[in-house]
Amino acid sequence: MEDWESINFDRLTEGEVVILLRKPWIPKDFFYNLLGRKDLVKFYSVQKEIVNHPCCPQDISLNILPNLLPIDLLRVAKNLRVSPFLRRQAETIFLQKWSKIPLGEKISHVRRATPFILKNLKSEQNRMVIKALLENPSLTEEILLELINSPKISINVIEEISNSHWMNRYRIKFAIARCPETPVQFVLRILPELHKGDLLSLLKEPIPSLIKNKILEITKEENHK
């Protein structure tokens, strides 16, 4: 067991602090005393360990959180040992930094992003990023439906979804058919796979004449079976 009261903060080195911060339990006073060593707290290796420790007072973590790189913000966002509020703050800051993240890193990050982050990438248009997003194991049908139904959705997103395994899900297929951004040819390909009731509901929406005529043709054929 660590004798926390005997720690000489004046002599601590960066490496020693990192080791201490990886212990499962630390008294809160340790973190406040550590703030007195600004030369140590300025080290990035120390900052990311402080924020990820469940014993760290939230006011200290919140002050350091904006300093973290996107990859470490994701680590905090997925760290179930810290508070839900801190995790949500990490996700929010991650999204604020999203536009400045290099493409290669975006692709890597989006594959393991949290559901909250995925829900808030409605404006993303890069095909490689979207393809990676669709591979994220945290992506659910509900989240994908939110993205499809968003007024910010782009044709790039629609096309990537249409060419993915998610098209095996009926609700996704129907949402793609209803989306105003979906190319007519894509919709025409989907229509024969939709239920009659859903086809009729599409007729009540402002759709291109080609789609309307195809729906009438399909429903007419079903009525004569």
Side-chain angles (χ1 to χ4, degrees), residues 88-165:
R88 181 51 52 86
Q89 288 300 111
E91 291 171 319
T92 301
I93 295 171
F94 177 92
L95 288 166
Q96 291 169 352
K97 295 186 177 189
W98 179 256
S99 62
K100 296 181 180 179
I101 299 175
L103 177 59
E105 290 182 26
K106 280 186 176 181
I107 293 170
S108 175
H109 295 334
V110 81
R111 283 198 176 103
R112 57 193 199 88
T114 63
F116 179 81
I117 290 173
L118 296 178
K119 285 181 184 180
N120 286 278
L121 293 179
K122 297 181 177 72
S123 300
E124 182 58 51
Q125 297 190 27
N126 185 280
R127 288 180 180 273
M128 290 187 287
V129 174
I130 297 303
K131 190 171 183 179
L133 181 151
L134 294 172
E135 296 169 357
N136 186 313
S138 295
L139 181 64
T140 64
E141 188 172 303
E142 296 301 326
I143 294 174
L144 196 52
L145 286 170
E146 280 191 45
L147 293 175
I148 296 170
N149 293 326
S150 167
K152 297 180 180 180
I153 195 166
S154 71
I155 188 171
N156 288 352
V157 179
I158 293 295
E159 290 181 352
E160 287 300 328
I161 296 172
S162 297
N163 292 316
S164 74
H165 69 279

Side-chain angles (χ1 to χ4, degrees), residues 47 98 136 163 186 191-192 207:
Q47 291 183 2
W98 179 256
N136 186 313
N163 292 316
F186 276 51
L191 291 178
I207 56 176

